[in-house]
Amino acid sequence: MSRPAVRALAPYVAGTSIEEVRRRFGHARIVKLASNENPLGSSPLALAALRSADRLNLYLDDAHEALRERLGQREGLQAENVVLGHGSNEIVNTIAQTFLDPGDEVVMADPTFSLYRLAVSLVGALPVEVPLLDGVHDIERMLAAVGPRTKAFFVCDPNNPTATVLPAFAWDYLLERLPPDVLLVIDRAYAEYLDTPGFEVASVVLGRGNVVVLRTMSKAYGLASLRFGYAYGDRESIDWLQRVRLPFNVSRPAALGAAAALDDRAFLEKSIALNAVERSRVIGELRERGFHCYPSGANFYAVTVPISAHEAYEALLERGIIVRSGDALRMPGRLRVTVGTNEENDAFLAALAGATIGDRA
Ligand SMILES: Cc1ncc(COP(=O)(O)O)c(C=O)c1O
């Protein structure tokens, strides 16, 4: 029999796959806007590096010193301030295993990325969930929820599933008031899409300490399937995470692909530019149609629908469009939709009209 914490667990639910929709409806063309993936594919330089990955029979370079140094330099930090992961998901789990004891409390928003609740609960710690205010982290109420048992404080920025961003003054407010003994975890999976960062990573890492800033190459670099994430932190926090992470958690192909993707400025810039143009076009169009959309700082958006989120999700599936239902993300009444290519977004807009006001309207 498994542990009670495992039995109580509501498992992570990933977005619906293209294969599943094809099985159900038999569509030849399916548009997947469900998992915030890069619609332009992957960095070509990364793909070329992966094709030449060799010596897979060997356990090679578990320290990844050069890559960590490079990632560190991007923020004015050192290799010792960087830990790598099998996606940033893995680092969330490692944080829970490294820092949390049963009964410790962890303050986080609601809704936010569901993995935090899962990882925290699995080690017997207690998520303390504070509702968003107009779709944004309510930092004042989150700080008020910090008590003697609070061990960590999670901020997802931009927040999944709302795509909302904390303004710079809220970062200042938080950084001034969060007790120094509370580990601050900032998830910046969508950082590349932000117009303004809100805070400076190096000054928080070196000035405050007791902080872990999560990053991933799954989104803007188009490498979701490669599984490569990393985190910045003060030397002590990173040292603890290095002790706990699994040996060889980052494969050699993942490290080679990630290093090559970092060289691919052209792909990154193209991805960010497409997202900016399409995001403002689609959100503008949805608002014109009378749907409410939170401002988005990411490669997805959270939009209201006039029928239930689940009904809208199902009606879109029937039309070959995969999105996420807010019902499954603690965001009832809304869909979470990835920004796709121009053509994909048009297909979504047309299908949404059909799903909500009828195909002949
Ligand atoms: C907020 C947030 N953090 C982390 C992740 C996971 O990233 P990775 O693919 O690096 O595990 C996601 C993926 O959707 C996310 O939305």
Side-chain angles (χ1 to χ4, degrees):
M1 187 61 122
S2 68
R3 293 190 293 119
V6 174
R7 273 175 268 148
L9 207 68
Y12 181 79
V13 182
T16 310
S17 70
I18 290 177
E19 293 70 29
E20 195 181 327
V21 179
R22 186 155 290 138
R23 262 198 310 276
R24 268 185 73 187
F25 300 101
H27 296 301
R29 178 166 185 262
I30 293 163
V31 173
K32 183 170 183 247
L33 300 175
S35 302
N36 308 338
E37 294 144 336
N38 191 324
L40 294 179
S42 305
S43 145
L45 293 188
L47 292 178
L50 286 171
R51 276 191 287 273
S52 64
D54 60 358
R55 293 182 291 155
L56 299 184
N57 57 319
L58 303 178
Y59 292 101
L60 285 169
D61 184 22
D62 190 34
H64 299 287
E65 189 74 23
L67 183 51
R68 286 170 46 235
E69 189 172 330
R70 201 165 157 204
L71 289 165
Q73 275 168 1
R74 290 159 72 88
E75 295 290 347
L77 295 166
Q78 319 267 314
E80 67 200 28
N81 298 115
V82 181
V83 66
L84 308 185
H86 181 82
S88 54
N89 276 352
E90 188 208 13
I91 308 177
V92 172
N93 257 343
T94 310
I95 288 171
Q97 289 176 344
T98 305
F99 296 104
L100 303 178
D101 278 316
D104 283 344
E105 292 180 357
V106 179
V107 175
M108 62 184 74
D110 182 23
T112 192
F113 188 42
S114 61
L115 193 70
Y116 311 151
R117 188 177 351 115
L118 224 123
V120 162
S121 309
L122 248 182
V123 296
L126 307 168
V128 176
E129 299 175 293
V130 178
L132 299 174
L133 183 63
D134 291 331
V136 183
H137 281 62
D138 186 345
I139 294 297
E140 210 173 328
R141 281 195 57 200
M142 287 176 75
L143 283 169
V146 172
R149 307 192 71 168
T150 305
K151 197 67 187 291
F153 190 104
F154 276 65
V155 180
C156 184
D157 184 74
N159 186 43
N160 183 357
T162 50
T164 46
V165 174
L166 265 192
F169 72 82
W171 283 112
D172 294 343
Y173 188 90
L174 170 66
L175 291 165
E176 270 166 32
R177 288 166 179 79
L178 186 67
D181 59 336
V182 174
L183 176 75
L184 174 59
V185 181
I186 304 171
D187 189 343
R188 286 245 143 149
Y190 302 96
E192 288 82 3
Y193 302 108
L194 285 170
D195 294 329
T196 47
F199 67 93
E200 202 208 329
V201 174
S203 78
V204 175
V205 163
L206 302 174
R208 178 187 195 271
N210 209 11
V211 65
V212 180
V213 182
L214 297 163
R215 298 289 302 267
T216 181
M217 295 188 74
S218 295
K219 311 293 174 182
Y221 291 90
L223 297 175
S225 188
L226 190 62
R227 311 307 302 135
F228 184 88
Y230 56 101
Y232 297 112
D234 54 290
R235 189 180 176 162
E236 198 185 328
S237 301
I238 296 294
D239 273 352
W240 295 125
L241 292 168
Q242 293 282 24
R243 270 188 201 214
V244 175
R245 72 168 173 85
L246 283 178
F248 302 101
N249 61 333
V250 169
S251 72
R252 188 168 134 78
L256 289 173
L262 290 176
D263 290 329
D264 202 341
R265 291 293 316 168
F267 179 79
L268 180 67
E269 280 164 19
K270 200 165 128 191
S271 302
I272 295 169
L274 171 76
N275 186 68
V277 169
E278 284 298 305
R279 181 176 66 191
S280 91
R281 180 179 78 87
V282 182
I283 292 179
E285 167 86 32
L286 290 166
R287 287 182 177 151
E288 260 175 44
R289 291 189 194 177
F291 299 116
H292 182 273
C293 220
Y294 293 126
S296 165
N299 65 343
F300 63 95
Y301 48 90
V303 61
T304 53
V305 276
I307 49 180
S308 86
H310 183 72
E311 281 174 304
Y313 158 82
E314 279 289 332
L316 287 165
L317 272 194
E318 266 177 54
R319 290 163 174 80
I321 311 282
I322 316 177
V323 299
R324 284 302 298 261
S325 160
D327 289 340
L329 301 171
R330 300 212 204 186
M331 191 175 60
R334 285 180 191 264
L335 300 175
R336 193 195 71 191
V337 188
T338 306
V339 177
T341 60
N342 180 278
E343 205 194 0
E344 288 172 334
N345 297 327
D346 279 347
F348 164 70
L349 289 168
L352 185 69
T356 54
I357 53 177
D359 285 315
R360 282 176 305 282

